[in-house]
Amino acid sequence: MWQAISHQLSEVLDKPFKIIEKEPLEGGDINECYCIGDGNDRYFLKLNDREQLMIFETEAESLHVLNEADCIQVPEFIHLGTCRDKSFLVLNYLPTKVLDNDAAYTLGQELARLHSWGEQAEYGFDWDNYIGLTPQPNKWRRRWCRFFAEQRIAWQLQICQEKGIDLGNIDTITSRVIDLLMHHQPKPSLLHGDLWHGNTAVTVTGPIIFDPASYWGDRECDIAMTELFGGFPPTFYEGYQSVWPLDEGYQERKELYNLYHVLNHCNLFGGSYIAQAEHSIEKLGLLK
């Protein structure tokens, strides 16, 4: 496997690249991650089963669009490939540290600029992608309430139901979500899509975000998720607000937007996330 990866990288880089160092890195719950090097250059490698190639393909597409926006640092795509029973994604390697207060403030400012970048009339993406290991549909829709209700909440509830997790009548919950968002039609923003603190860091060249699940949607979805799993430093929100203050009603919409990620964790991990989803559905009044 390592010889095949070396060979492919040699062709892509147009120079010999023989892997002589393979340092395992923390990479979450989904992929094996390594820092690989030939003694001169180093790269970041994500490795998974061959059938997971499409997940890497869609991640590469998200990184391409985020790089095009040029508002916030994301990893540089190097190569996507397969070898025998594995698929892999190669990115540039940058040593990172956890966000400090100054970097968090800068990240907030840069995220606000990303959210204001570009002109898009509808919500969605040119291709479906993944949130973790879960397929994420992104069919274009003109109405935000329908996009979020149907392609985020209803989609996750359907997967839950297929796994034997009954969280209530899907049609009732979907209709209620549409009602709650009926009068909220925000500017479509390019989102990271999976913005928890584990997908951010700071490098020598400033803050960086990675592992995106991008689409065009309500910017509040990114901000809401930053508050879901541990939260970001207060300076992050100060930085964001200094560039583009959040709209009135964000605090009411926040839990609804985070229900999507809680439902996804139900599908990926089960356990306590099922009770958390039930609590959110009840608190939001989605079964009334």
Side-chain angles (χ1 to χ4, degrees):
M1 177 186 75
W2 296 108
Q3 184 176 356
I5 294 173
S6 292
H7 176 71
Q8 291 184 38
L9 275 175
S10 296
E11 292 190 338
V12 168
L13 299 170
D14 198 26
K15 63 179 182 178
F17 185 87
K18 182 178 180 180
I19 298 173
I20 61 173
E21 50 181 314
K22 305 183 288 286
E23 178 186 351
L25 302 172
E26 292 185 7
D29 303 302
I30 296 174
N31 305 297
E32 296 178 53
C33 297
Y34 296 88
C35 173
I36 59 173
D38 66 349
N40 294 309
D41 300 315
R42 306 173 87 190
Y43 297 96
F44 181 77
L45 173 77
K46 299 175 76 168
L47 189 67
N48 211 316
D49 295 334
R50 191 181 180 97
E51 55 265 28
Q52 304 298 341
L53 176 64
M54 188 174 293
I55 295 179
F56 289 152
E57 289 175 339
T58 60
E59 179 179 343
E61 293 287 0
S62 289
L63 289 172
H64 172 74
V65 176
L66 290 167
N67 258 313
E68 190 177 68
D70 196 26
C71 296
I72 188 167
Q73 185 178 198
V74 297
E76 177 188 347
F77 171 80
I78 303 297
H79 181 56
L80 175 72
T82 59
C83 53
R84 215 171 356 175
D85 59 345
K86 296 291 185 180
S87 61
F88 62 93
L89 176 66
V90 182
L91 308 170
N92 67 319
Y93 175 77
L94 290 170
T96 60
K97 298 187 298 184
V98 175
L99 287 176
D100 57 25
N101 286 331
D102 289 342
Y105 186 88
T106 301
L107 178 62
Q109 291 183 312
E110 292 177 346
L111 184 68
R113 295 186 186 107
L114 172 68
H115 286 164
S116 63
W117 175 83
E119 295 295 330
Q120 177 55 248
E122 298 187 1
Y123 308 96
F125 218 37
D126 283 337
W127 50 85
D128 295 340
N129 49 25
Y130 290 81
I131 181 76
L133 288 173
T134 309
Q136 179 171 264
N138 293 312
K139 187 175 181 180
W140 293 103
R141 287 285 184 268
R142 289 191 176 277
R143 296 289 298 168
W144 170 246
C145 60
R146 290 207 164 270
F147 176 89
F148 187 78
E150 295 168 1
Q151 298 193 64
R152 293 297 179 259
I153 301 302
W155 172 259
Q156 290 284 348
L157 288 170
Q158 182 62 44
I159 298 173
C160 283
Q161 192 175 87
E162 291 169 0
K163 292 186 174 184
I165 305 170
D166 184 8
L167 296 170
N169 184 275
I170 296 176
D171 290 339
T172 299
I173 295 173
T174 303
S175 295
R176 181 63 179 142
V177 173
I178 290 173
D179 289 343
L180 290 175
L181 295 175
M182 180 68 71
H183 303 295
H184 184 60
Q185 183 74 358
K187 170 192 176 344
S189 293
L190 180 61
L191 307 183
H192 175 279
D194 194 8
L195 196 61
W196 68 294
H197 67 85
N199 286 343
T200 70
V202 62
T203 73
V204 293
T205 53
I208 188 169
I209 56 176
F210 41 87
D211 292 350
S214 295
Y215 63 99
W216 292 84
D218 185 356
R219 64 189 178 124
E220 294 177 355
C221 290
D222 268 353
I223 301 300
M225 193 180 186
T226 67
E227 299 191 55
L228 181 59
F229 299 120
F232 282 37
T235 53
F236 166 81
Y237 304 100
E238 294 168 10
Y240 191 96
Q241 292 279 91
S242 74
V243 175
W244 189 8
L246 291 170
D247 298 329
E248 185 178 348
Y250 162 70
Q251 292 299 329
E252 288 71 39
R253 290 184 288 271
K254 177 173 66 176
E255 182 148 4
L256 177 58
Y257 288 161
N258 280 341
L259 176 60
Y260 173 58
H261 298 290
V262 173
L263 289 172
N264 187 50
H265 277 63
C266 279
N267 285 312
L268 292 174
F269 309 115
S272 63
Y273 291 110
I274 298 174
Q276 187 176 351
E278 290 172 338
H279 175 73
S280 290
I281 289 170
E282 180 179 356
K283 182 179 177 181
L284 290 162
L286 298 184
L287 288 173
K288 294 180 180 178

